[in-house]
């Protein structure tokens, strides 16, 4: 079976001369929850940025469902949903408009039934006409996830989804992620919390100083 994401000898040196990724090899299987675990500055966001086409690699290749992220950018980007680490969202739009607009950015035609399903699954349905501005921090996070799911991606990236989030929302988030996996979506999340990786992931990759130190089934690693 084709891997969801296949990364070979990936390196990144920023314009400052700092090398954030040093020859990373990694395969994420279709349908799994994969946690990329590492401390701040390890290179997690850089790695995600390259797969999502936001950051240019210095060397190596990345395939998403067998498609090259550079030469087949449009195709790979349409297969991916990204929930970014930093909350960036149009505060003055309604929830419904924000999420519907995101779908359009990927060249997909309107599909109100899908948007409705996504909003309901994230308990945002009764907030659909509310301005994003008026939502709590936790609700804003849910809107980011709804945006990332608006175009029916096969692979969802969550970059530090629960950093700075209270315990209750963290629980909800974990539940939502499990629910998504049930629908066949491959999930790749980054975290610097060991307990988050332990709670969520099927497999865990540990990254430090731009190198993957190990990749292991969660059960094996925790033992
Ligand atoms: N645009 C940039 N220019 C220079 N250095 C950067 C840039 N973005 C990130 N870095 C550096 O690359 C390293 C990895 O950063 P990042 O991928 O954000 O790590 P993580 O997400 O694991 O915290 C850090 O040392 C960071 O300072
Ligand atoms: Mg990061």
């Amino acid at each position: 079976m084709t891997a969801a994401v296949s990364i070979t000898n990936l390196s990144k040196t920023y314009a400052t001369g700092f090398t954030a990724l040093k020859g990373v090899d990694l395969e994420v299987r279709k349908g799994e929850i994969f946690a990329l675990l590492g401390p701040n500055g390890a290179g997690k966001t850089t790695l995600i940025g390259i797969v999502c086409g936001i950051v240019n690699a210095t060397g190596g290749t990345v395939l998403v469902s067998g498609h090259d992220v550079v030469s087949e950018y449009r195709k790979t980007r349409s297969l991916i949903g990204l929930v970014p680490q930093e909350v960036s969202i149009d505060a003055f739009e309604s929830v419904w408009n924000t999420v519907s607009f995101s779908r359009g950015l990927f060249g997909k035609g309107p599909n109100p039934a899908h948007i409705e399903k996504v909003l309901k699954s994230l308990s945002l349905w009764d907030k659909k006409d509310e301005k994003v501005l008026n939502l709590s921090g936790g609700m804003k996070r849910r809107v980011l996830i709804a945006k990332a799911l608006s175009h029916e991606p096969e692979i969802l990236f969550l970059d530090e989804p629960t950093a700075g989030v209270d315990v209750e929302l963290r629980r909800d988030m974990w539940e939502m992620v499990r629910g998504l996996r049930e629908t066949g979506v491959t999930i790749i999340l980054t975290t610097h919390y060991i307990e988050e990786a332990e709670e969520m992931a099927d497999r865990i990759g540990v990254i430090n100083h731009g190198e993957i130190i190990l990749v292991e089934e969660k059960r094996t690693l925790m033992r």
Side-chain angles (χ1 to χ4, degrees), residues 14-16 18 20 38-47 85 159-160 207:
Y14 282 107
T16 55
F18 184 82
N40 285 324
K44 304 182 297 293
T45 298
T46 301
L47 184 70
Q85 185 171 2
D159 197 3
E160 309 260 356
I207 184 169

Side-chain angles (χ1 to χ4, degrees), residues 18-187:
F18 184 82
T19 298
L21 295 175
K22 304 166 186 165
V24 167
D25 294 309
L26 184 64
E27 280 219 339
V28 178
R29 300 167 189 154
K30 282 200 169 142
E32 73 176 340
I33 300 180
F34 188 91
L36 196 57
L37 175 66
N40 285 324
K44 304 182 297 293
T45 298
T46 301
L47 184 70
I48 284 189
I50 293 171
V51 179
C52 296
I54 296 161
V55 175
N56 291 318
T58 308
T61 54
V62 179
L63 305 180
V64 171
S65 273
H67 303 280
D68 186 276
V69 296
V70 177
S71 61
E72 298 173 88
Y73 168 78
R74 274 177 182 279
K75 174 69 182 169
T76 57
R77 197 60 188 85
S78 75
L79 296 172
I80 292 172
L82 169 64
V83 183
Q85 185 171 2
E86 305 291 337
V87 174
S88 62
I89 209 165
D90 189 349
F92 295 99
E93 275 294 350
S94 71
V95 169
W96 177 273
N97 285 348
T98 297
V99 175
S100 300
F101 179 71
S102 275
R103 180 181 171 89
L105 290 179
F106 292 95
K108 297 232 169 166
N111 184 345
H114 176 68
I115 304 293
E116 181 174 337
K117 192 181 85 191
V118 167
L119 292 182
K120 283 184 171 163
S121 74
L122 292 164
S123 308
L124 281 171
W125 183 241
D126 60 334
K127 303 278 186 216
K128 68 180 175 6
D129 300 316
E130 193 71 69
K131 283 192 176 65
V132 172
L133 181 70
N134 297 332
L135 301 179
S136 67
M139 287 288 179
K140 286 192 182 109
R141 292 244 176 190
R142 287 165 197 253
V143 174
L144 283 179
I145 297 173
K147 279 166 64 105
L149 294 173
S150 64
H151 59 288
E152 298 162 75
E154 292 177 10
I155 303 165
L156 182 68
F157 286 89
L158 296 149
D159 197 3
E160 309 260 356
T162 63
V165 152
D166 63 36
V167 176
E168 199 176 332
L169 181 61
R170 190 174 298 174
R171 291 264 146 73
D172 283 3
M173 198 82 95
W174 288 346
E175 198 125 310
M176 261 157 22
V177 167
R178 284 198 199 92
L180 275 172
R181 197 249 315 260
E182 298 299 306
T183 70
V185 176
T186 304
I187 292 155

